[in-house]
Amino acid sequence: MHKSAYTENVMLYNEKKVNEGVATLFHFKNTKSVNPFYYDEHHRMKILLDIEEENPRAWNKCFHVSFNPSTEDYKIMNDATIKQEIENMMEHMGYVHQPYFVYRHEDLERVHFHVVSTRIDCVTYQKLKDNFEWLKIKRFLHQLEEKYNLPLKEKPQEINFRFSARSRNIKQNLENLFKHLNGIDELTTKDLYDQALLTFKVEIQKSGRGHIVVVLGDNGKPARYPIRLSNFKNKPKFYSKENKLAAKEKETVERKLKTPVKHEIDIHKIGVLARDLNKLYERSQKSQNTTKPKIKRKNPKNRKRFS
C-alpha cells in the first residue's frame, strides 16, 4: 500500500518500466476509452488527471497498491485468477466504479502487479474516504489466503488477526491485535480505536461495571462467547486504567485553564475524524462541579419602615 500526492509520478514510474521492457500493460477498468492500451502513456495519464483537476484542494489523490504474490502463490493463482482478484480487491476497497490501470512487473525475482487509480470520485469529484485502507487490504489478503489455501509465511503476530467461531488461541490472538493497534499513532481517539477493532470483527461492549470483548460473525452478531476485558494482560489503550487516569488528569487541567479539547489536538492530522475529538473524555461529573449555589433574597414586603 502506497500513499502519494502525485498520480502523475506513479504513472510515469510504471510507464517507464513498460518502456524498459520489464513491465507490461496488464489490465484496466472503467475508462472512457474502449481500450486505453491502444494509446500512448499521456492518454492513460490524462484519464486520471482530468478527474483530479476537478478537486484541486485534495491531498494524496493517488491510489497505488502493489500486489505481490510469492512464487508458490503464483503457481496456485495464474494471471487470469489474479486479474479477477484485483477486481474483487478494488470493489472491497470501494473503488469499483473508479478508472484504474494494472501493470505486470517482472523486474524482480518474482512477478508482481501495480494498481494505479485516483481517490477523487469520478462522479462527485469528492475525495473518497481513505481511512484504514491498510486495514482493509490486510483483511482482503486474509480472505484470499483462506479462499485459495495459500501457504502462510508471515510472522505469527501478523497472521493471528483473523477471528471467527473456529479461531484457536483466541485470547492470545486478541492480545496481539490490541498490542498492534496500541502502537499506531493515528488512532488518537477511542472512536477511531473502536472502528479499527470492527475492521477485524472485534467489538468491546459495556457489561456491568466492566467491559467484554466480542468476536462478531458476518451477520454482525457474536460468533462465540465473550471474554472479560479484565482477563487480558495487554489491554486496549483507551480501556486501560492508566489511560483512564491520564484522561481524567488531562480533563481536570483543561477545565482549570478553560481550554477547549479541540485546541489541544492537531485536527489536520486526522482530517475528517475531527468530529470524534469531543468524545475523548467523560463529562458525567462536570455539571456537579459547575453548579452555582443559590442565594436567598429577602422579601421586600417584610422590610421595616422608619419614620
Side-chain angles (χ1 to χ4, degrees):
M1 191 81 201
H2 311 277
K3 277 198 174 183
S4 175
Y6 305 104
T7 304
E8 184 177 1
N9 292 347
V10 177
M11 290 290 290
L12 287 174
Y13 167 80
N14 285 279
E15 294 289 346
K16 180 183 177 183
K17 293 292 183 179
V18 173
N19 295 331
E20 292 174 353
V22 293
T24 55
L25 303 167
F26 181 71
H27 188 42
F28 69 92
K29 200 78 174 178
N30 304 323
T31 61
K32 293 182 179 179
S33 305
V34 177
N35 190 344
F37 291 163
Y38 287 156
Y39 303 91
D40 61 9
E41 60 189 54
H42 300 289
H43 174 83
R44 291 184 287 274
M45 195 181 306
K46 191 174 185 296
I47 293 174
L48 301 181
L49 295 183
D50 283 350
I51 298 172
E52 294 184 350
E53 286 179 359
E54 298 294 331
N55 191 339
R57 300 180 64 181
W59 288 89
N60 296 326
K61 302 178 185 181
C62 182
F63 179 82
H64 183 202
V65 176
S66 56
F67 198 83
N68 303 292
S70 65
T71 306
E72 293 78 9
D73 296 340
Y74 199 65
K75 292 177 182 178
I76 301 172
M77 302 172 64
N78 54 26
D79 284 348
T81 304
I82 289 176
K83 185 180 295 185
Q84 181 60 52
E85 290 303 337
I86 287 176
E87 291 185 6
N88 295 339
M89 178 192 71
M90 295 300 282
E91 182 178 358
H92 176 83
M93 297 297 294
Y95 288 77
V96 64
H97 300 299
Q98 292 292 95
Y100 61 88
F101 302 98
V102 184
Y103 297 85
R104 185 179 186 271
H105 289 248
E106 298 184 56
D107 53 338
L108 301 178
E109 294 181 358
R110 66 180 186 278
V111 176
H112 60 286
F113 304 83
H114 284 245
V115 185
V116 186
S117 184
T118 175
R119 290 191 174 95
I120 305 303
D121 192 288
C122 61
V123 178
T124 65
Y125 302 119
Q126 299 296 316
K127 186 178 179 182
L128 297 171
K129 292 183 178 180
D130 57 350
N131 305 327
F132 308 118
E133 279 186 344
W134 62 276
L135 291 175
K136 292 179 181 178
I137 284 286
K138 276 193 173 184
R139 185 173 179 183
F140 177 80
L141 292 177
H142 292 328
Q143 294 173 356
L144 211 60
E145 291 169 356
E146 293 179 347
K147 183 177 180 179
Y148 294 96
N149 195 23
L150 300 177
L152 303 179
K153 293 187 176 180
E154 296 177 297
K155 296 179 181 179
Q157 184 172 342
E158 295 179 345
I159 63 174
N160 285 338
F161 296 161
R162 291 172 293 175
F163 304 101
S164 65
R166 299 182 179 180
S167 297
R168 297 182 179 181
N169 302 323
I170 186 69
K171 182 173 175 291
Q172 182 61 48
N173 295 346
L174 286 169
E175 286 192 345
N176 289 337
L177 176 61
F178 297 154
K179 185 177 179 181
H180 181 75
L181 295 180
N182 289 349
I184 300 176
D185 296 333
E186 287 76 11
L187 300 179
T188 54
T189 68
K190 181 174 174 292
D191 286 342
L192 283 174
Y193 199 96
D194 291 341
Q195 290 178 35
L197 288 174
L198 283 175
T199 306
F200 297 97
K201 299 182 181 180
V202 176
E203 187 176 41
I204 298 179
Q205 300 176 359
K206 184 73 176 176
S207 177
R209 296 183 178 180
H211 293 82
I212 55 175
V213 181
V214 181
V215 175
L216 304 174
D218 294 332
N219 57 359
K221 297 181 180 179
R224 55 191 299 155
Y225 292 111
I227 306 175
R228 282 278 174 189
L229 190 59
S230 57
N231 294 335
F232 291 91
K233 293 181 180 179
N234 293 322
K235 294 181 174 60
K237 61 181 178 181
F238 290 102
Y239 292 89
S240 62
K241 291 182 179 179
E242 294 80 3
N243 186 268
K244 289 180 180 179
L245 290 173
K248 287 182 178 180
E249 290 176 2
K250 189 174 182 180
E251 183 183 1
T252 303
V253 173
E254 287 165 353
R255 285 177 178 173
K256 290 180 179 179
L257 297 177
K258 296 182 179 180
T259 303
V261 179
K262 61 182 179 182
H263 295 313
E264 297 295 329
I265 300 176
D266 184 7
I267 60 175
H268 298 289
K269 187 176 180 180
I270 58 175
V272 295
L273 300 171
R275 64 183 182 274
D276 297 322
L277 297 178
N278 293 328
K279 299 179 181 179
L280 282 173
Y281 309 112
E282 297 177 354
R283 304 183 184 274
S284 59
Q285 299 180 353
K286 187 175 181 180
S287 59
Q288 297 178 5
N289 299 329
T290 56
T291 52
K292 295 181 179 180
K294 293 183 178 179
I295 302 174
K296 267 191 174 183
R297 294 184 178 180
K298 294 182 179 180
N299 192 337
K301 294 182 179 180
N302 298 330
R303 292 179 182 173
K304 295 181 179 181
R305 295 182 179 180
F306 298 90
S307 56

